[in-house]
C-alpha cells in the first residue's frame, strides 16, 4: 500500500512495532523500531538526556517539573521524546495511529495539566516510575493536538515498567482508553482492542510443533522442506498482519525455556525485530499524482533492558551500539547531552581471529569424501556425525603435523 485513505485524509505510508517480553529471571526487555517514509534529514532523530530537577517546556507553552531523569529519542528538533526510558526503568513508545487518534479539547477555564501529544512520553517519563502510576494519573490530564506544518501527528503509546507491566494508551474520538498489554505487542491502526479480536481468530490455529505428517491410504504426506509449523501465518506489512505475526512468534519465542535470562531475552528481541524489519523499496509512498515520493524503511531500532542498558542501530548501520545510562549524569542541574541516532559504525574486522587448521590423523576426512561419492545423503550425514571432528586445536610446538591437503 503506497498511501492509506482514512477519515478523508491522505496518510503517509508507515509501520512501527513495539515488543515486550519478560525473561525467566523476572527481568523485562522492550524492543521498538521506527518505520516511516521520511529521510534522515527530515526526521532529525537524536538521543538526548533530560535531567531531574529541571522544568520541561513544550513549544506550545506547557511545562512541568522533571522528577525522574530520562534518555529519549527526539524528532523534528522539537525536543520531543517519541521513544525513551527513565532512570526508574519506565519505558514509553509513541507509534503512528492514523484515522483514529483524536485528542481532547480544553476549555478557557481549564487549569489542569495540558500535554501536547508529541510530548506525551516526556510527561510520562519525567513524572512516573510504574505503569500503576500511569494508569492512575493519565486520566487526570488533558492530551491535546499539536499540529505540525504537514498536519496533525496521530499517535498512541505503549508504556512498560521494569516489572514487565505494560499499558496501551489511546485517544479515540477524544476519549481515553487504557488497555493491559498482556500480549506484549503494539503496531499501528486500528485500535488495540480490534487487534485483539483479530488475534483471537488466529491464535488457536497457531502452534510451533513441527508436524510429523498425515497418511492417506498407503502414502504419508510429510511437511515440505521438513518444516511445517505456523502454516498460514500472515506475512504482509499491514498493521493487523504484523500484530498477529509478532504476537504469535513472541508467544512461543518468549517462553522461559528459551529466554531464561535477560541476556537471552535481549538476543531474542534482536531476532524478533529482524523478523519485522521494513526493507527500503518494499513499501513506497506516492504523491498526489500517483508518482513515487518516498520509501518506508526501519529508520532506527532500539532495545531497552530496563536496567540502564540501551542498544540501538539505524537502517544505514546494522551494527548494534550500546548506551550505558549509569554512565550518564541525570542529576539536578546536570548538563544535558545528545548524539545522532544515525551514526554509522563499520563491522569489526575479525580477520586476525582466523587460526591454522590441523587435520585428524585417522583418515576421517578421506572416509567422509568416500561416503560423498558412494552413498546417499542420509548415509553420508550418519557417517559424518559418527566420526570425530576433523578440526582440532593447533598442535603444540614439536608435534608432528599432518600435511594432507583438504
Amino acid at each position: 500500500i503506497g498511501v492509506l485513505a482514512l477519515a478523508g485524509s491522505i496518510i503517509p505510508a508507515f509501520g512501527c512495532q513495539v515488543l515486550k517480553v519478560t525473561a525467566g529471571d523476572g527481568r523485562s526487555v522492550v524492543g521498538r523500531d521506527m518505520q516511516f517514509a521520511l529521510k534522515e534529514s527530515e526526521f532529525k532523530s537524536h538521543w538526548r538526556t533530560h535531567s531531574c530537577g529541571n522544568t520541561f517546556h513544550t513549544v506550545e507553552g506547557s511545562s512541568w517539573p522533571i522528577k525522574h531523569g530520562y534518555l529519549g529519542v527526539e524528532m523534528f528538533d522539537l525536543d520531543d521524546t517519541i521513544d525513551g526510558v527513565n532512570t526508574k526503568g519506565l519505558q514509553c513508545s509513541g507509534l503512528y495511529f492514523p484515522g483514529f487518534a483524536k485528542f481532547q479539547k480544553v476549555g478557557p477555564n481549564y487549569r489542569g495539566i495540558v500535554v501536547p501529544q508529541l510530548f506525551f512520553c516526556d510527561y510520562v517519563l519525567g513524572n512516573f516510575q510504574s505503569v500503576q502510576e500511569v494508569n492512575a494519573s493519565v486520566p487526570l490530564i488533558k492530551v491535546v493536538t499539536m499540529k505540525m506544518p504537514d498536519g496533525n501527528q496521530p499517535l498512541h503509546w505503549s508504556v512498560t515498567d521494569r516489572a514487565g507491566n505494560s499499558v496501551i494508551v489511546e485517544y479515540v474520538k477524544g476519549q481515553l482508553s487504557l488497555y493491559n498489554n498482556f500480549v506484549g505487542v503494539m503496531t499501528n491502526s486500528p485500535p488495540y482492542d480490534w487487534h485483539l479480536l483479530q488475534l483471537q481468530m488466529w491464535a488457536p490455529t497457531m502452534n510451533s510443533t513441527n508436524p510429523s505428517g498425515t497418511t492417506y491410504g498407503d502414502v504419508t504426506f510429510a511437511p515440505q522442506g521438513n518444516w511445517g509449523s505456523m502454516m498460514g501465518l500472515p506475512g504482509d506489512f499491514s498493521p493487523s498482519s504484523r500484530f498477529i505475526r509478532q504476537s504469535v512468534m513472541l508467544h512461543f519465542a518468549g517462553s522461559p525455556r528459551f529466554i531464561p535470562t535477560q541476556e537471552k531475552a535481549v538476543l531474542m528481541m534482536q531476532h524478533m525485530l529482524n523478523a519485522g524489519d521494513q526493507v527500503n523499496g518494499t513499501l513506497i509512498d506516492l504523491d498526489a499524482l500517483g508518482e513515487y515520493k518516498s520509501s518506508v524503511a526501519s529508520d532506527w531500532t532500539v532495545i531497552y533492558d530496563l536496567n540502564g542498558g540501551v542498544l540501538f542501530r539505524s537502517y544505514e548501520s546494522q551494527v548494534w551500539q550500546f548506551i550505558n545510562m549509569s554512565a550518564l549524569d541525570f542529576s539536578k542541574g546536570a548538563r544535558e547531552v545528545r548524539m545522532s541516532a544515525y551514526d554509522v559504525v563499520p563491522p569489526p574486522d575479525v580477520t586476525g581471529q582466523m587460526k591454522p587448521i590441523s587435520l585428524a590423523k585417522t583418515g576421517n576426512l578421506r572416509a567422509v569424501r568416500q561416503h560423498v561419492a558412494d552413498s546417499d545423503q542420509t548415509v553420508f550425514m550418519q557417517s559424518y556425525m559418527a566420526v570425530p571432528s576433523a578440526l582440532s586445536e593447533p598442535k603444540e610446538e614439536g608435534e608432528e603435523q599432518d600435511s594432507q591437503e583438504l
Side-chain angles (χ1 to χ4, degrees):
I1 299 174
V3 292
L4 180 65
L6 283 174
S9 302
I10 301 299
I11 306 299
F14 63 91
C16 304
Q17 59 179 337
V18 175
L19 309 174
K20 182 270 297 184
V21 70
T22 300
D25 60 9
R27 296 184 293 172
S28 299
V29 172
V30 175
R32 182 261 166 87
D33 66 0
M34 171 61 78
Q35 302 176 9
F36 221 87
L38 286 176
K39 298 178 181 178
E40 172 186 332
S41 59
E42 298 170 325
F43 214 67
K44 301 177 182 178
S45 290
H46 290 83
W47 286 100
R48 68 156 295 167
T49 61
H50 294 269
S51 300
C52 67
N54 293 345
T55 299
F56 187 91
H57 298 274
T58 75
V59 295
E60 289 200 333
S62 302
S63 64
W64 51 80
I66 300 175
K67 299 177 183 178
H68 309 296
Y70 60 97
L71 172 72
V73 182
E74 62 182 10
M75 60 181 188
F76 306 126
D77 276 344
L78 292 174
D79 289 342
D80 59 318
T81 298
I82 192 66
D83 208 272
V85 65
N86 68 17
T87 54
K88 302 299 182 180
L90 187 70
Q91 189 275 335
C92 181
S93 296
L95 272 66
Y96 218 51
F97 191 42
F100 294 92
K102 186 175 181 181
F103 300 104
Q104 297 166 306
K105 302 291 185 180
V106 176
N109 297 322
Y110 181 74
R111 295 295 180 265
I113 297 173
V114 177
V115 180
Q117 89 280 22
L118 288 179
F119 300 95
F120 180 83
C121 281
D122 290 287
Y123 181 75
V124 167
L125 296 177
N127 283 280
F128 309 123
Q129 56 184 324
S130 70
V131 165
Q132 182 179 8
E133 291 182 2
V134 173
N135 287 336
S137 301
V138 168
L140 305 179
I141 67 173
K142 294 291 186 182
V143 176
V144 299
T145 299
M146 172 186 166
K147 291 187 176 181
M148 299 287 289
D150 60 347
N152 176 29
Q153 295 295 318
L155 298 172
H156 61 168
W157 299 271
S158 167
V159 182
T160 303
D161 62 26
R162 186 171 287 166
N165 305 304
S166 186
V167 62
I168 305 299
V169 182
E170 295 182 340
Y171 291 86
V172 177
K173 297 181 179 180
Q175 298 298 313
L176 168 65
S177 293
L178 299 172
Y179 300 101
N180 175 21
N181 184 16
F182 62 90
V183 175
V185 176
M186 186 175 82
T187 56
N188 308 101
S189 302
Y192 189 75
D193 56 349
W194 187 93
H195 286 297
L196 293 180
L197 288 175
Q198 294 298 301
L199 182 61
Q200 185 178 7
M201 294 191 301
W202 284 89
T205 67
M206 295 288 107
N207 68 80
S208 60
T209 303
N210 186 33
S212 58
T214 303
T215 300
Y216 281 51
D218 297 330
V219 179
T220 298
F221 293 93
Q224 290 186 349
N226 202 36
W227 306 106
S229 65
M230 301 190 192
M231 291 292 291
L233 190 66
D236 62 81
F237 298 136
S238 66
S240 57
S241 290
R242 288 185 287 109
F243 185 93
I244 293 168
R245 182 168 65 252
Q246 295 294 65
S247 296
V248 170
M249 292 177 62
L250 190 65
H251 172 70
F252 294 111
S255 166
R257 171 182 295 177
F258 304 113
I259 53 168
T261 65
Q262 187 179 62
E263 292 74 19
K264 291 292 185 181
V266 169
L267 178 62
M268 182 273 289
M269 189 63 71
Q270 291 175 326
H271 288 286
M272 287 292 301
L273 291 168
N274 288 341
D277 211 15
Q278 187 74 57
V279 181
N280 197 14
T282 59
L283 181 59
I284 64 172
D285 189 27
L286 307 179
D287 61 21
L289 299 177
E291 299 296 329
Y292 173 80
K293 179 181 179 182
S294 59
S295 176
V296 177
S298 292
D299 199 52
W300 45 260
T301 306
V302 58
I303 297 175
Y304 305 93
D305 68 18
L306 303 187
N307 286 291
V310 180
L311 288 167
F312 75 98
R313 69 185 184 193
S314 69
Y315 189 87
E316 299 294 337
S317 183
Q318 290 290 287
V319 176
W320 288 99
Q321 302 175 63
F322 180 72
I323 299 175
N324 181 6
M325 289 183 63
S326 64
L328 298 174
D329 189 357
F330 294 96
S331 62
K332 183 176 181 178
R335 183 176 182 179
E336 296 174 341
V337 295
R338 77 172 193 168
M339 62 176 285
S340 173
Y342 302 105
D343 287 345
V344 176
V345 177
D349 186 346
V350 296
T351 310
Q353 297 183 27
M354 301 291 286
K355 303 298 181 183
I357 299 175
S358 60
L359 304 182
K361 299 180 180 180
T362 59
N364 289 330
L365 288 181
R366 287 190 295 272
V368 168
R369 284 197 294 268
Q370 188 63 42
H371 277 299
V372 173
D374 298 341
S375 306
D376 61 23
Q377 184 179 12
T378 301
V379 175
F380 162 66
M381 290 304 297
Q382 291 174 344
S383 301
Y384 180 78
M385 297 300 293
V387 299
S389 173
L391 303 182
S392 62
E393 294 297 322
K395 300 293 184 181
E396 297 292 335
E397 185 176 355
E399 287 194 50
E400 182 181 355
Q401 298 286 329
D402 191 331
S403 62
Q404 180 180 356
E405 296 181 351
L406 285 173

